[in-house]
Amino acid sequence: MKLLAAVFLVLTLSTLTMAQIPHIEVFGGFSTEHIAPCGTTTTFANGVSCAFEQGELQSSLHYYNGWNAAVTLGGHFIGFTADIAGHYGTFNGAPSLSRHSFLFGPTVRIPLPKITPFGHALFGVVKQSSSEDSALAFTEPNIALGGGVDWKASKFIAIRLAQVDYEWQRNPTSGLPSPHGFRLGTGVVLKF
């Protein structure tokens, strides 16, 4: 009886210990961003920095291409994501811009047999810089709300078919509309 109780205790403890080991997902892939850049109120001819809503910026017609990487730590259904992205492009055909975002927040997944839909709310900062125009450089709060779908290729590898995020950032110039737009991505997910 004592041996049976000891075996039951060992099996129960090992099962509980295995249940506490978190899932780790590492994502990397291509990303494109559709958002207006910002500068100071004296940057542009009309004295407006972020005019994405008013259609002033030629760059609002273009996408900034780059990369996106993320690590999600948690259980099967709920996790915490650290997301880093870099997007690069030109503004009005002249200054080249780079935008790097550093975001963190909760992720909810619905693991199905072949696909895993997910949603997340990510909060952090975006750092924009330009080697040609320092007025276009800033670091401001940034939010990305969205989700996507992963297709299970094997036990340890999934293909992120699509990730779509709505992005909002605070305008570095007081009193002007905050730029917002969309970030689209695709890539590979490694599961551990």
Side-chain angles (χ1 to χ4, degrees):
M1 190 66 155
K2 289 182 182 180
L3 178 61
L4 186 59
V7 169
F8 178 75
L9 181 62
V10 168
L11 289 175
T12 302
L13 289 176
S14 64
T15 303
L16 289 174
T17 303
M18 290 298 288
Q20 297 302 316
I21 296 174
H23 273 354
I24 299 173
E25 292 185 356
V26 179
F27 165 71
F30 171 78
S31 180
T32 187
E33 183 181 51
H34 185 65
I35 194 167
C38 297
T40 65
T41 54
T42 59
T43 303
F44 312 111
N46 295 341
V48 178
S49 67
C50 283
F52 184 68
E53 294 82 1
Q54 293 136 16
E56 176 194 352
L57 303 178
Q58 288 182 12
S59 62
S60 68
L61 303 174
H62 299 103
Y63 291 87
Y64 295 91
N65 295 318
W67 53 270
N68 186 205
V71 174
T72 301
L73 178 67
H76 286 287
F77 301 103
I78 298 174
F80 184 80
T81 299
D83 181 286
I84 301 171
H87 295 92
Y88 313 92
T90 59
F91 171 69
N92 279 346
S96 61
L97 292 175
S98 62
R99 293 173 49 84
H100 294 91
S101 60
F102 307 91
L103 304 168
F104 307 90
T107 296
V108 177
R109 293 185 294 270
I110 303 171
L112 300 173
K114 287 305 276 181
I115 63 168
T116 302
F118 67 91
H120 54 218
L122 306 175
F123 307 89
V125 297
V126 61
K127 179 176 175 49
Q128 179 175 292
S129 59
S130 172
S131 59
E132 302 164 30
D133 189 348
S134 62
L136 294 173
F138 64 82
T139 301
E140 291 293 337
N142 191 32
I143 297 172
L145 305 173
V149 177
D150 294 341
W151 174 74
K152 183 179 179 180
S154 73
K155 183 177 179 181
F156 300 107
I157 298 174
I159 305 299
R160 182 146 296 168
L161 300 175
Q163 177 177 318
V164 179
D165 294 311
Y166 170 79
E167 283 190 293
W168 174 92
Q169 74 174 59
R170 189 173 74 184
N171 194 321
T173 305
S174 179
L176 294 177
S178 294
H180 57 271
F182 289 92
R183 180 176 73 166
L184 306 144
T186 186
V188 176
V189 180
L190 303 177
K191 300 181 177 201
F192 302 98

